[in-house]
């Protein structure tokens, strides 16, 4: 009797997982369709307004802000929520007497990988994978002791989420060390 109950529960869970996978597959297909529609429209802001030049400028501003522990130069480029997160991070660094050091930073590539094109353009979202390389580390200022990172030149991969605010693309989130970096992006987008 107990075996039958466990089997029924297991089959129910398998059915639930199958439904979840089907929904995720549908959402991925819908996202891909929306991305292609957004790129195909000549008046679509994501295609014209979010360029690699702008991403490179923002890339430089972000790392300058980290070194200076000052978010003022990022206003108008990143969301208020992201500014608040950075301000809190910089306050923790100050409290722990930490400094951020960045050298030899280079933006290698920025690739648009996904987006949502809503009817209201102020709600559009775009995900960009940003590949760079740099020497990046956090150290304790009084002692010079390394707190995080190292002094070696390394690749850095991030997913940047942009949203539109008043017709302008604003950086809202940065995701580091995502399992999505293992995907073959050329196959994922085509």
């Amino acid at each position: 009797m107990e075996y039958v109950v466990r089997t029924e529960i297991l089959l129910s869970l398998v059915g639930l997982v199958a439904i979840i996978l089907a929904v995720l597959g549908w959402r991925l297909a819908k996202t891909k369709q929306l991305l292609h529609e957004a790129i195909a429209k000549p008046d679509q802001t994501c295609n014209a307004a979010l360029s690699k030049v702008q991403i490179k400028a923002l890339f430089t501003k972000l790392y300058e802000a980290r070194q200076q522990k000052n978010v003022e130069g990022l206003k108008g480029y990143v969301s208020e929520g992201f500014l608040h997160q950075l301000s809190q991070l910089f306050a923790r660094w100050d409290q722990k007497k930490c400094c951020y050091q960045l050298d030899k930073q280079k933006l290698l590539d920025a690739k648009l990988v996904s987006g949502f094109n809503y009817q209201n353009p102020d709600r559009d979202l775009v995900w960009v994978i940003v590949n760079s390389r740099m020497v990046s580390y956090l150290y304790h200022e009084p002692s010079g002791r390394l707190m995080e990172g190292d002094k070696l030149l390394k690749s850095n991969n991030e997913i940047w989420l942009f949203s539109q605010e008043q017709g302008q693309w604003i950086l809202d989130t940065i995701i580091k060390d995502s399992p999505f970096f293992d995907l073959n992006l050329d196959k994922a987008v085509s």
Side-chain angles (χ1 to χ4, degrees):
M1 184 69 168
E2 192 175 310
Y3 176 76
V4 172
V5 171
R6 286 185 182 170
T7 304
E8 288 175 355
I9 291 172
L10 182 61
L11 289 175
S12 298
L13 289 174
V14 168
L16 181 62
V17 168
I19 290 170
I20 290 170
L21 289 175
V23 169
L24 289 175
W26 175 82
R27 286 190 67 194
L28 179 62
K30 186 68 176 168
T31 299
K32 186 176 178 182
Q33 175 190 355
L34 289 171
L35 176 62
H36 286 293
E37 287 173 9
I39 291 171
K41 286 184 180 179
D43 61 342
Q44 177 60 35
T45 26
C46 99
N47 207 15
L50 187 59
S51 69
K52 286 187 182 182
V53 172
Q54 289 172 305
I55 292 171
K56 185 173 184 170
L58 182 55
F59 175 82
T60 302
K61 286 183 176 296
L62 276 170
Y63 289 101
E64 286 174 354
R66 287 180 181 172
Q67 282 189 289
Q68 298 166 2
K69 294 188 262 186
N70 186 343
V71 297
E72 293 302 314
L74 295 174
K75 289 185 178 176
Y77 297 95
V78 302
S79 69
E80 289 296 321
F82 194 60
L83 276 175
H84 182 70
Q85 288 176 352
L86 285 174
S87 294
Q88 288 179 326
L89 175 68
F90 298 160
R92 284 193 305 271
W93 286 356
D94 280 340
Q95 184 181 22
K96 294 180 180 181
K97 296 181 175 42
C98 291
C99 285
Y100 180 79
Q101 184 63 43
L102 176 72
D103 293 312
K104 301 177 186 169
Q105 69 270 24
K106 182 176 182 182
L107 178 65
L108 301 174
D109 193 22
K111 187 178 285 192
L112 175 74
V113 291
S114 189
F116 284 107
N117 182 17
Y118 291 101
Q119 295 294 339
N120 177 357
D122 281 346
R123 293 188 54 212
D124 289 349
L125 302 173
V126 173
W127 285 266
V128 176
I129 289 190
V130 176
N131 300 307
S132 60
R133 80 171 170 245
M134 64 187 70
V135 176
S136 171
Y137 57 93
L138 192 66
Y139 67 94
H140 185 249
E141 193 170 24
S143 68
R145 182 175 46 98
L146 202 61
M147 304 287 288
E148 186 179 306
D150 57 49
K151 297 181 180 183
L152 301 174
L153 186 63
K154 290 189 175 182
S155 294
N156 186 42
N157 298 307
E158 301 170 330
I159 298 174
W160 290 12
L161 172 64
F162 288 87
S163 61
Q164 277 198 344
E165 290 182 13
Q166 300 171 354
Q168 181 178 346
W169 288 106
I170 301 292
L171 180 62
D172 193 54
T173 304
I174 294 178
I175 302 169
K176 293 178 177 255
D177 303 324
S178 170
F180 295 110
F181 296 129
D182 296 333
L183 296 176
N184 183 338
L185 294 176
D186 295 327
K187 290 181 182 176
V189 175
S190 60

